[in-house]
Amino acid sequence: MNTRVYDLKTEYEAGMDAAADVLRQGGLVAFPTETVYGLGADACNGAAVSRIFAAKGRPGDNPLIVHVCAAGQAGEIAQITPLAAKLMDAFWPGPFTAVLPSRGVVCREVTAGLGTVGVRMPAAGSARELIRRSGRLIAAPSANLSGRPSPTEAGHVLADFDGVVPIILDGGPADCGVESTVCDLTGEVPIILRPGGVTAEMIRQAAGEVQVARAVLEGLGKDEHAASPGMKYKHYAPKAKVWVVDGDSPNTIAKKLKAMYDSMQDEKCVILCADCRAGEYPGRNVMSIGADRAAIARNLFGALREADRQEYANVFFEAVSPDGMGLAIMNRIIRAAGFHIV
Ligand code: TXA
Ligand code: MG
């Protein structure tokens, strides 16, 4: 199969029409959202959704998020509780996925047999237009091979799926860079299953209360049940070994990191850190990945892919405090590191 990349800046109409056709015929389309690129299929077509799992090598028990283009569509596939209505109103369109009781309308491949369904209305206008034009609800995980860093540019999607996916819509680099916040809204209090572009603080402000699932910053115990099945798999991992370096102060972190880096001189190493920290590491390979948390989140996955491209054996990452966007950043990087924090 030939993969056709449409640049949405210059080929918007042609790209959208071709992609909508492919979706209606049960095929796969990679498309940009404000978080990361998604790999979409018709959420009510079991054979189409199975193609997503096959292309990604994704375990069948890990459910997919259903993307809608209007808040009203959520009620067709899920039961909207008062809490859900409030949070959807606050955060849609945007990087917020509501996990709600399913009405059984989407195919069972999407929900992986769970009684709940994750629903999200993306902020990216082209994503909503694609849903509208196709006349379908779109089930879409991130458009990466299972286990690899999520794609924040069309080139990342092409690297994983060239010759496998017929259409990639190129909308430029993703704004947010980490995936949506997945939030269980089936109870009285919202529970963050996966932190993302909408922070815990924002949800607390809108709902009055919020809980964060323990697995967000810790691995699951051996026999522990995963509230969000995606949390039990190794994730976001580049080929390089990732070391997350933590400490009581920036100074302690830098000291520890330098000692580790210098002890691995026979291997190719790189340090990922905030722009203002790059000067701490003279004479060493540094990729500065942004001035603030939002920029670090935006650039994180791309930096992990770049580290592989440059064949680094070890990637060192300065831990950030887990508040605001820091929670999503730490959730992703500790998974990339296989839960290994030093
Ligand atoms: O930003 C995003 O959410 C991107 C874009 C494309 O929308 N999508 C994305 O999908 O990140 P994916 O499949 O890579 O991650 C979805 C996560 C998984 O951890 C999955 O287990 C969880 O959401 N999830 C989906 N449905 C669920 C459900 N019914 N209950 C609990 N967790 C669910
Ligand atoms: Mg993913």
Side-chain angles (χ1 to χ4, degrees), residues 53-108:
F53 285 88
K56 281 182 60 94
R58 181 178 177 106
D61 65 351
N62 192 4
L64 306 181
I65 294 170
V66 178
H67 296 69
V68 299
C69 63
Q73 289 180 323
E76 296 167 18
I77 62 169
Q79 288 168 36
I80 313 298
T81 60
L83 172 66
K86 191 194 246 177
L87 294 184
M88 283 156 46
D89 192 49
F91 302 124
W92 279 7
F96 183 79
T97 296
V99 171
L100 296 165
S102 170
R103 292 193 188 279
V105 173
V106 296
C107 63
R108 71 184 155 71

Side-chain angles (χ1 to χ4, degrees), residues 274-295:
D275 298 352
C276 64
R277 302 280 302 156
E280 293 286 328
Y281 302 105
R284 301 172 182 88
N285 300 316
V286 175
M287 257 193 249
S288 51
I289 58 171
D292 54 24
R293 302 292 184 83

Side-chain angles (χ1 to χ4, degrees), residues 21-281:
D21 274 345
V22 166
L23 288 170
R24 276 193 297 268
Q25 289 158 21
L28 303 185
V29 169
F31 63 99
T33 82
E34 75 281 16
T35 56
V36 301
Y37 278 70
L39 183 61
D42 176 354
C44 295
N45 178 337
V49 173
S50 296
R51 284 187 194 106
I52 296 179
F53 285 88
K56 281 182 60 94
R58 181 178 177 106
D61 65 351
N62 192 4
L64 306 181
I65 294 170
V66 178
H67 296 69
V68 299
C69 63
Q73 289 180 323
E76 296 167 18
I77 62 169
Q79 288 168 36
I80 313 298
T81 60
L83 172 66
K86 191 194 246 177
L87 294 184
M88 283 156 46
D89 192 49
F91 302 124
W92 279 7
F96 183 79
T97 296
V99 171
L100 296 165
S102 170
R103 292 193 188 279
V105 173
V106 296
C107 63
R108 71 184 155 71
E109 287 81 359
V110 167
T111 54
L114 297 176
T116 54
V117 60
V119 195
R120 156 163 132 82
M121 173 159 64
S126 63
R128 294 205 305 276
E129 178 57 21
L130 180 63
I131 299 165
R132 205 171 293 126
R133 261 188 219 200
S134 66
R136 301 290 191 274
L137 301 181
I138 301 184
S142 49
N144 52 281
L145 290 170
S146 215
R148 298 265 299 139
S150 296
T152 53
E153 296 171 16
H156 300 158
V157 181
L158 196 61
D160 285 8
F161 293 117
D162 194 10
V164 175
V165 168
I167 292 184
I168 300 174
L169 300 178
D170 182 353
D175 277 346
C176 181
V178 291
E179 303 88 338
S180 63
T181 302
V182 177
C183 197
D184 180 346
L185 300 178
T186 59
E188 301 279 301
V189 178
I191 305 171
I192 295 178
L193 304 179
R194 179 183 71 181
V198 169
T199 65
E201 292 81 354
M202 289 160 75
I203 297 171
R204 181 177 299 113
Q205 193 159 47
E209 278 179 279
V210 68
Q211 287 172 13
V212 178
R214 202 183 58 76
V216 162
L217 286 182
E218 292 171 37
L220 284 171
K222 211 162 168 283
D223 298 312
E224 204 173 332
H225 168 75
S228 183
M231 291 200 290
K232 69 186 176 205
Y233 297 108
K234 185 167 180 190
H235 249 99
Y236 316 116
K239 293 182 196 104
K241 183 150 180 41
V242 177
W243 307 85
V244 179
V245 186
D246 204 355
D248 331 316
S249 71
N251 255 342
T252 336
I253 293 178
K255 227 167 130 185
K256 214 195 280 185
L257 199 160
K258 279 186 248 186
M260 289 183 68
Y261 184 112
D262 295 347
S263 73
M264 294 180 199
Q265 275 305 329
D266 46 334
E267 295 178 23
K268 227 182 140 187
C269 298
V270 66
I271 300 162
L272 306 191
C273 62
D275 298 352
C276 64
R277 302 280 302 156
E280 293 286 328
Y281 302 105

